Amino acid sequence: MNLPRRLGILAMVVAVAAAVAHQCGLALPSLRWFYSFDATPEQVLDATEGSFLGMTIHWPWIRENQGELIGHAWCAVLLLVGMVFLVRSVGFQWNPLTVRKIERFRSIGRGNASLKLLGILLVLALLDQALVGKRALAVKHEDRWDFPAFQNRIFTDQDFGGESEEEADYRELKKQWKEEGSENLVIMPPVPWGPSFDSDELMRKDLDLSKGVILEPSGKKPYDGFAVQFENAESDKRLLSGSIRAGRLSGPVQVYDAKGDVIGRETWKDGERVGGAVEGAAVSAEATWSKVIYMPLPPDLESRHFLGTDSKGWDILAQLYGGLQVLFKAAALYLLLTYLIGITLGALMGYFGGVFDLFMQRVMEIMSNIPFLLVVMIIIANIGRDKVTLATILAIFCLFSWISVATYLRTATYKEKARDYVSAARVIGAPTSRVIFRHILPNVIATIVTLVPFSVTSVITSLTALDFLGFGLSERYPSWGRLLSDGVNNLSSSWIVSSVFVMLVLLLLLVTFVGEAVREAFDPRTFTTYQ
């Protein structure tokens, strides 16, 4: 089975699986992306009725169901593409020259290894909520199994024996059932945090108390640092707060009343009050000492913040994973749109020349002199950053990025159309479209292929830079640039900036190594159609 046939079958299977899963109420990893475009309640309320060809169209209904409609449209397009690949794959054979180029690429160890690593990252990104997410993979409650992460419904606390009508907090549910010794079971993803809008509370670790000495949570040595005395192990009501030195309260201490409000300050030394006694202080026989770590939280295995949190309490590893998914989706759509427009216009300019070529060159010159960043700032300022989507950003990118692709292909097409095989195709009556896309394009595509990896690098750096400057995607999209900005603003929390910096450099290095290998493998001075 040749490659086009495999791609066609894969595209058809993905399209059918996505549509069937949605109709069955399932949210399968990555396949749910087809139906992820949903209307906000404000959009539905603001919609009005209209008419088209004499038929009344209820715009609110369309907007309310736009996620499903767009999902069906994507699936239909993918299914059509798969069918085209199947039909066109009949009698397909690789060009011997292309085989030599692929073998040359595989012989370049650094580039081939980088491509494999990128493939591994892509597979991990496609696993989606099975690896990272705040919804449980499976919940067993009273002999009933539910799979919240893979179902298109929201399970409330009442579904699992609670009283609240809000969505269940599966992390708390798992902790609660574990403390109760219940037979119920919650299975969370390896990273049980959402990529965005999933903030952790203040991290609190209870300290041990032995013979008047406050010890580390391990109970092996006296605690040094800031600590808070709470009413009991489960309460958030504070009684005292101050510095602990060698396991004993020392220095200025804040005192709280029964309501948890600060009512004064005392002075302590070696665990004894030496001055400034405050009246009305709250007292509890079950009081416990705890150390409280404020945001950003450092890496902690117990809370499963493997790379810590940022200043908002969002898990860094979850944001890196979600940002990687956004970058992969952005790169795929960016390449599809940019090269489709650039190849088509460049080939037409080089083949027809004349007035059309002159007109398009003037258009390209004008657009090349428009400052890209200024255009982005104007658009974001007018529509508001909260309404900015990935499609909006990519549309702006593609508006300018096709120019370089068209320029390369115009020059190559202009040279190729003067060759004998093009004249022969014209003589036997081949239509213009066949001459351009079946004869000329395969001989000039090598130049374009070498640009692809560097275009990926461009879209990654552009998205990250815009988010870093505050002119990129809204916060509902995980972003490496926004995370990098937060790390720069909190340099004392080194785990933030170091995590995103390492991932960004690693990804760009892999793409660059692939690009260098592709450029060497497709070098026209070594591999050419004509001798």
Side-chain angles (χ1 to χ4, degrees):
M1 185 181 296
N2 54 44
L3 181 61
R5 181 175 292 272
R6 292 177 181 176
L7 294 176
I9 294 175
L10 177 62
M12 295 176 66
V13 169
V14 169
V16 172
V20 172
H22 179 75
Q23 293 300 318
C24 295
L26 300 177
L28 300 182
S30 298
L31 296 182
R32 64 174 182 158
W33 293 348
F34 290 94
Y35 295 88
S36 61
F37 186 86
D38 296 319
T40 62
E42 292 77 10
Q43 290 176 322
V44 176
L45 292 175
D46 291 342
T48 58
E49 292 187 2
S51 61
F52 178 70
L53 298 179
M55 299 180 294
T56 300
I57 298 177
H58 297 277
W59 293 113
W61 179 87
I62 293 179
R63 292 204 175 190
E64 187 177 0
N65 296 275
Q66 63 184 0
E68 187 169 0
L69 293 175
I70 293 178
H72 288 330
W74 274 111
C75 290
V77 171
L78 192 60
L79 185 64
L80 180 61
V81 170
M83 295 174 64
V84 170
F85 269 71
L86 280 180
V87 173
R88 305 295 293 183
S89 65
V90 177
F92 173 83
Q93 289 185 347
W94 284 107
N95 187 313
L97 187 60
T98 303
V99 174
R100 289 177 56 197
K101 293 176 180 178
I102 295 175
E103 291 176 351
R104 173 56 182 158
F105 175 83
R106 289 176 177 174
S107 67
I108 304 173
R110 186 171 63 182
N112 193 32
S114 298
L115 182 62
K116 291 179 179 179
L117 288 176
L118 284 175
I120 293 173
L121 290 177
L122 177 60
V123 171
L124 291 176
L126 292 175
L127 292 177
D128 202 11
Q129 74 270 34
L131 286 183
V132 176
K134 62 181 179 180
R135 292 183 176 175
L137 302 180
V139 178
K140 179 189 176 184
H141 177 250
E142 296 180 353
D143 298 328
R144 187 186 82 242
W145 283 90
D146 293 302
F147 305 92
F150 306 112
Q151 292 180 256
N152 274 329
R153 60 163 292 192
I154 295 178
F155 290 86
T156 65
D157 196 40
Q158 294 178 345
D159 293 324
F160 305 111
E163 298 179 355
S164 174
E165 295 182 358
E166 300 293 329
E167 183 177 5
D169 187 335
Y170 299 101
R171 296 188 296 266
E172 289 297 323
L173 193 64
K174 181 177 181 179
K175 181 180 178 181
Q176 175 187 338
W177 285 349
K178 184 178 180 180
E179 292 176 350
E180 294 174 354
S182 174
E183 294 183 356
N184 297 328
L185 180 66
V186 177
I187 301 176
M188 297 296 295
V191 181
W193 303 95
S196 59
F197 297 105
D198 187 16
S199 178
D200 195 7
E201 300 298 330
L202 297 179
M203 190 173 178
R204 170 178 164 182
K205 288 189 175 182
D206 293 334
L207 302 171
D208 290 339
L209 184 63
S210 176
K211 298 180 181 180
V213 179
I214 302 173
L215 306 176
E216 293 279 359
S218 61
K220 295 181 179 180
K221 63 179 182 178
Y223 173 71
D224 286 296
F226 183 81
V228 178
Q229 187 184 53
F230 292 93
E231 186 177 31
N232 54 60
E234 303 297 331
S235 175
D236 291 330
K237 188 179 294 183
R238 304 186 181 200
L239 306 181
L240 301 172
S241 64
S243 299
I244 307 296
R245 299 173 185 171
R248 298 183 184 275
L249 191 61
S250 299
V253 175
Q254 284 189 330
V255 182
Y256 302 81
D257 61 11
K259 296 181 179 179
D261 298 326
V262 179
I263 58 174
R265 178 173 293 187
E266 298 176 344
T267 303
W268 288 62
K269 183 177 181 181
D270 295 331
E272 296 182 359
R273 184 171 52 233
V274 295
V278 178
E279 296 182 359
V283 180
S284 173
E286 300 179 354
T288 60
W289 285 94
S290 302
K291 65 175 182 178
V292 178
I293 307 174
Y294 294 89
M295 304 301 176
L297 300 179
D300 183 75
L301 297 180
E302 182 180 348
S303 62
R304 301 179 79 173
H305 289 302
F306 300 109
L307 295 178
T309 69
D310 62 7
S311 60
K312 299 187 293 294
W314 296 5
D315 185 80
I316 292 178
L317 182 56
Q319 291 186 77
L320 290 176
Y321 183 80
L324 181 65
Q325 291 179 312
V326 171
L327 291 178
F328 274 132
K329 287 189 285 186
L333 294 174
Y334 172 82
L335 292 178
L336 178 64
L337 294 176
T338 298
Y339 282 79
L340 182 63
I341 297 172
I343 288 175
T344 302
L345 291 179
L348 294 177
M349 290 169 61
Y351 185 80
F352 290 110
V355 176
F356 176 74
D357 182 34
L358 291 174
F359 174 76
M360 289 305 302
Q361 284 190 69
R362 301 294 83 76
V363 171
M364 292 163 61
E365 289 173 1
I366 294 173
M367 295 186 67
S368 298
N369 288 299
I370 298 177
F372 168 73
L373 183 59
L374 180 61
V375 173
V376 175
M377 294 171 63
I378 293 174
I379 294 176
I380 300 303
N382 279 273
I383 66 178
R385 188 177 180 184
D386 291 339
K387 297 181 180 179
V388 175
T389 64
L390 184 60
T392 306
I393 295 293
L394 292 179
I396 301 173
F397 285 176
C398 296
L399 185 64
F400 296 90
S401 57
W402 63 270
I403 297 175
S404 59
V405 179
T407 301
Y408 275 99
L409 203 66
R410 171 189 173 273
T411 304
T413 303
Y414 191 79
K415 292 194 304 182
E416 289 296 318
K417 76 173 184 178
R419 297 191 180 275
D420 293 340
Y421 72 91
V422 176
S423 301
R426 288 174 178 171
V427 168
I428 63 176
T432 302
S433 59
R434 183 179 180 86
V435 173
I436 295 177
F437 297 105
R438 291 297 303 275
H439 295 286
I440 295 179
L441 187 58
N443 287 287
V444 301
I445 201 67
T447 305
I448 302 301
V449 170
T450 60
L451 297 177
V452 171
F454 302 101
S455 297
V456 174
T457 303
S458 174
V459 71
I460 291 174
T461 54
S462 297
L463 275 176
T464 304
L466 285 175
D467 288 332
F468 179 82
L469 296 173
F471 295 100
L473 299 170
S474 61
E475 287 195 342
R476 67 178 181 271
Y477 292 94
S479 166
W480 288 8
R482 195 162 49 249
L483 190 59
L484 185 61
S485 176
D486 188 70
V488 171
N489 294 329
N490 296 275
L491 289 176
S492 59
S493 304
S494 58
W495 56 88
I496 302 177
V497 68
S498 59
S499 298
V500 65
F501 179 77
V502 169
M503 280 299 300
L504 185 59
V505 170
L506 175 63
L507 185 61
L508 292 177
L509 275 178
L510 292 178
V511 177
T512 302
F513 289 158
V514 172
E516 291 177 347
V518 168
R519 177 165 290 182
E520 182 176 346
F522 283 74
D523 187 354
R525 294 172 298 180
T526 305
F527 303 100
T528 179
T529 306
Y530 305 100
Q531 299 298 327

